[in-house]
Amino acid sequence: MDGRHGVPTCVADVGTTADDTPSTAPAPVPPTAVGPGLIDGLDEGVVVCDRAGVVRAANAAARDLLPDLRVGEVVDVARCEVLARAVHGEGPGTGSFEAVVEHPEGERHVRGRRGPVLGPTPPPPPEPGEGDSTWFLRDVTGEHARTDTLLAAQERAAFLAEAGRALHGVLHLDRTARRVVALAVPRLAAGAVLVMRHDDQVIWAATELGGGRPRLGHAAASALTRVPRVAAALADEGGGVDVDPWLAEELATLTGLDAPGSGAPLRACPVPVTGVVDALVVLAGPRAAGGDVTDPEEDLLSSYVARAGAALAAAALHEEQAHLGAVLQESLAAPRLPETDGVVWGAAYRPARETMRVGGDFYEVVGPRGEEGRSAFLLGDVCGKGIEAAVLSGRVRQSWHALRLLEDRPARLLPLLNTALLDAVATRDEGPRFATMVLGDARPQDDGSVALRLATGGHPPPLVLRADGGVETVPVAGMLVGGLREARFGEAEVLLGPGDTCLLYSDGVVEARGPGDFFGEERLAAALPACAGAPAAVVCEYLEQTVVEWLDGHDHDDVALLAIQAPA
Amino acid sequence: MADLTIRTERTDSDAIVSVGGDLDYDSHGRLEQALDAALDGGPPSGLVVDLADVTYCDSCGLRVLLGAQARARDVGATFVLQGAQGQPARALKLTGLDQVFG
């Protein structure tokens, strides 16, 4: 710093300096003589110029900030144009400015303001000349850097919050995949590709370079054998993946698109998703925001990828759940009733409102086989709900279908079913899994009546609605099916005259809980006479409606009804 | 709908579990745990389950009672079910379990 040599002694009165010094010529302040040591000791840079713009004095801080500043030369040589213009009276006239200046240690942000006129002593000139000016310069580079950091952090937080909102609750795997790549562009990269494996398929989503609606594709998981390194990257639980030309080639192979982000540098980021899906996000090209990939940007990327992972996992789980529910509903769907000569069938089935709480009510009707012309029927209820109930009711129905081929007499069929269910449970150490049911067969008679044979296990006894409106309870009882080795089951025979109806129903009917009480067997029996003479299907529909009205919006278990009728 | 209540008392020889409220799909797991606990650690010579205050019992509830009877037998304890009335009593009768629990 040879500029320090020959620096005139400075005069300063820094203490009286006001920030908002008027832009017009400062009020003359009597200069105070101070030693060069004092002005040099100031943190703030001080530059004194005469009217021609020649620097008459500059302290150490000013020379540090503007290394080209020379005392005795015009201020312009300091390569701080804004200061030069201010000194020459060409500035905005506010007396203060901000500037970015070149500096051997990198760009510096300089904030300057005009100060009171100071006279360097000893002269020349002994008194400040008219038109002299003094400038205080402050290095605000650090301040700027802090502000920039803060703004950048806010921007990243806002991006993540927005991405989180956009990804949250989509709960659809394809749509979530599209959003993951769409949101990444342009903030994180110029292009993005997501590859994931879920169950037995590969799903990919890719943006064009620069954005646009992402494209989406599905492939069998076996497609991964053609892209071994993508497959390996998918399996990678953590850490980055080395990116070399293979990535672009394999992505092109997989997606059938031109190498995504062709020519642009690619980087792969495995998505941390536990157990549900394997996913990999590939970013292409420089980020639109520009600048170096700094540590905060790395953090942003991993935070984004983590959010994407959570959204993908949620969507995948939701789809699995929905699929499970659909399969469950399908397995529990009411079967079609056969058309049989001499017997009229009707049924109603109303599953519990929530899919996963659907209980195990079921019924089956199989038309006549053989010469005797007996149709077989079954209505029952297994304990539990949801998947557990579906599995058990499936077991009961399949066992019934198989066993009735060997034994058609209801009172003998039930013990066989009981043993079969107990054996199935015993082999799995499941604890009690039982069902209640009414089963039987119906044989039309020559005179138009229908002969029923019924057996029950732990189930409400059937009701008979005579054509004239009379209601009878079939006197038959029995124990749970599949609960006890020593269970006993009752049997009954019922003759339905023309227009008579036998009604089988599940617990859900009598245990329907309205605002006050259970619907109960008495109300059911009381509702029946109104249906006298109605077709079987109408009887069931009417009763179902009656139960629903009783519920008055309350939750309910499954409701199943099966009516067997001799044609009127 | 009444919440399930469970109170367990120990005498010198017996564990008495008094149950109240709705014993159904949602609540049966709690009774199962309570009955397991009553049979664990120095099993009683008798397990008594009192259903006097039970307002509703579905097949899940019956299943818990059947399971408890089996476990009581395994640890050499007698199993007594008492007090059921209203719907729970009807459910026990309908399923033939009233004979089983005698």
Side-chain angles (χ1 to χ4, degrees), chain A residues 262-347:
Chain A
S262 50
L266 299 183
R267 53 187 318 230
C269 322
V271 181
V273 182
T274 29
V276 191
V277 293
D278 293 324
L280 181 70
V281 170
V282 179
L283 299 177
R287 293 171 305 111
D292 297 332
V293 177
T294 54
D295 285 345
E297 286 293 305
E298 282 298 293
D299 290 346
L300 175 68
L301 180 56
S302 54
S303 296
Y304 178 74
V305 168
R307 276 170 175 70
L312 290 169
L317 281 172
H318 182 78
E319 292 204 351
E320 282 175 19
Q321 184 88 344
H323 177 68
L324 214 55
V327 170
L328 177 59
Q329 288 282 25
E330 207 171 300
S331 81
L332 294 172
R336 217 163 355 101
L337 295 171
E339 302 252 342
T340 54
D341 290 337
V343 185
V344 180
W345 306 91

Side-chain angles (χ1 to χ4, degrees), chain A residues 216-297:
Chain A
L216 186 92
H218 291 231
S222 58
L224 286 175
T225 56
R226 291 186 290 127
V227 287
R229 280 176 290 196
V230 166
L234 272 178
D236 189 6
E237 286 299 318
V241 176
D242 288 336
V243 172
D244 53 44
W246 62 263
L247 188 60
E249 288 165 24
E250 290 201 354
L251 287 177
T253 304
L254 185 68
T255 63
L257 301 176
D258 288 341
S262 50
L266 299 183
R267 53 187 318 230
C269 322
V271 181
V273 182
T274 29
V276 191
V277 293
D278 293 324
L280 181 70
V281 170
V282 179
L283 299 177
R287 293 171 305 111
D292 297 332
V293 177
T294 54
D295 285 345
E297 286 293 305

Side-chain angles (χ1 to χ4, degrees), chain A residues 74-103:
Chain A
V74 286
V75 68
D76 304 60
V77 303
R79 296 203 296 169
C80 178
E81 196 190 336
V82 185
L83 173 62
R85 283 156 58 95
V87 169
H88 292 305
E90 297 160 6
T94 60
S96 63
F97 60 85
E98 287 231 10
V100 179
V101 298
E102 297 296 325
H103 191 276

Side-chain angles (χ1 to χ4, degrees), chain A residues 356-357 382-386 388 432-434 436 458-461 478-480 483-484 488 507 511 513 518 557, chain B residues 1-2 22 24-26 55-60 62-63 66-67 69 87 90-91 93-97 99-100:
Chain A
M356 299 313 285
R357 288 184 59 104
V382 297
C383 58
K385 292 191 198 301
E388 180 194 35
R433 290 280 187 279
F434 53 77
T436 73
H459 203 83
M479 297 165 84
L480 292 170
L484 304 154
R488 295 184 301 276
D507 289 1
E511 289 173 1
R513 249 175 171 179
F518 298 107
D557 279 351
Chain B
M1 305 286 164
D22 285 355
D24 58 14
Y25 177 74
D26 293 317
T55 45
Y56 175 69
C57 177
D58 72 357
S59 55
C60 294
L62 297 178
R63 189 171 81 189
L66 261 186
Q69 185 192 37
Q87 187 275 344
R90 287 199 298 278
K93 186 161 186 299
L94 194 62
T95 53
L97 291 179
Q99 301 162 52
V100 175

Side-chain angles (χ1 to χ4, degrees), chain A residues 100-439:
Chain A
V100 179
V101 298
E102 297 296 325
H103 191 276
E105 290 166 21
E107 263 179 11
R108 314 303 289 172
H109 290 263
V110 179
R111 185 176 294 156
R113 62 189 168 90
R114 189 177 185 136
V117 175
L118 305 173
T121 61
E127 295 292 324
E130 191 184 344
D132 285 3
S133 61
T134 304
W135 299 87
F136 293 93
L137 307 179
R138 181 186 293 276
D139 182 351
V140 293
T141 307
E143 230 172 88
H144 271 261
R146 282 192 295 279
T147 308
D148 289 348
T149 306
L150 188 65
L151 287 175
Q154 282 171 347
E155 186 272 336
R156 284 191 294 271
F159 169 74
L160 281 179
E162 179 54 34
R165 269 194 298 279
L167 289 171
H168 176 74
V170 178
L171 296 184
H172 184 286
L173 205 48
D174 287 357
R175 282 204 283 275
T176 306
R178 276 192 211 269
R179 286 202 186 178
V180 166
V181 292
L183 288 165
V185 178
R187 178 59 184 86
L188 297 174
V193 184
L194 170 75
V195 180
M196 67 178 150
R197 176 173 47 205
H198 179 232
D199 283 346
D200 52 0
Q201 63 174 343
V202 176
I203 303 170
W204 56 263
T207 65
E208 303 286 331
L209 268 188
R213 179 170 167 77
R215 303 226 231 149
L216 186 92
H218 291 231
S222 58
L224 286 175
T225 56
R226 291 186 290 127
V227 287
R229 280 176 290 196
V230 166
L234 272 178
D236 189 6
E237 286 299 318
V241 176
D242 288 336
V243 172
D244 53 44
W246 62 263
L247 188 60
E249 288 165 24
E250 290 201 354
L251 287 177
T253 304
L254 185 68
T255 63
L257 301 176
D258 288 341
S262 50
L266 299 183
R267 53 187 318 230
C269 322
V271 181
V273 182
T274 29
V276 191
V277 293
D278 293 324
L280 181 70
V281 170
V282 179
L283 299 177
R287 293 171 305 111
D292 297 332
V293 177
T294 54
D295 285 345
E297 286 293 305
E298 282 298 293
D299 290 346
L300 175 68
L301 180 56
S302 54
S303 296
Y304 178 74
V305 168
R307 276 170 175 70
L312 290 169
L317 281 172
H318 182 78
E319 292 204 351
E320 282 175 19
Q321 184 88 344
H323 177 68
L324 214 55
V327 170
L328 177 59
Q329 288 282 25
E330 207 171 300
S331 81
L332 294 172
R336 217 163 355 101
L337 295 171
E339 302 252 342
T340 54
D341 290 337
V343 185
V344 180
W345 306 91
Y349 173 60
R350 176 177 280 262
R353 211 176 304 174
E354 297 165 60
T355 302
M356 299 313 285
R357 288 184 59 104
V358 165
D361 286 12
F362 55 89
Y363 65 82
E364 298 280 319
V365 180
V366 178
R369 69 185 172 85
E371 292 170 5
E372 288 205 316
R374 295 179 191 277
S375 299
F377 54 85
L378 167 73
L379 180 142
D381 178 12
V382 297
C383 58
K385 292 191 198 301
I387 298 295
E388 180 194 35
V391 168
L392 185 54
S393 81
R395 191 186 283 169
V396 171
R397 286 177 294 164
Q398 293 312 316
S399 300
W400 175 78
H401 276 291
L403 291 171
R404 60 172 282 278
L405 298 176
L406 308 172
E407 173 59 69
D408 65 358
R409 198 176 145 187
R412 291 190 188 144
L413 184 51
L414 258 187
L416 288 180
L417 256 180
N418 186 54
T419 304
L421 293 179
L422 280 165
D423 287 352
V425 167
T427 55
R428 287 175 181 75
D429 202 18
E430 285 174 346
R433 290 280 187 279
F434 53 77
T436 73
M437 68 190 76
V438 177
L439 54 77

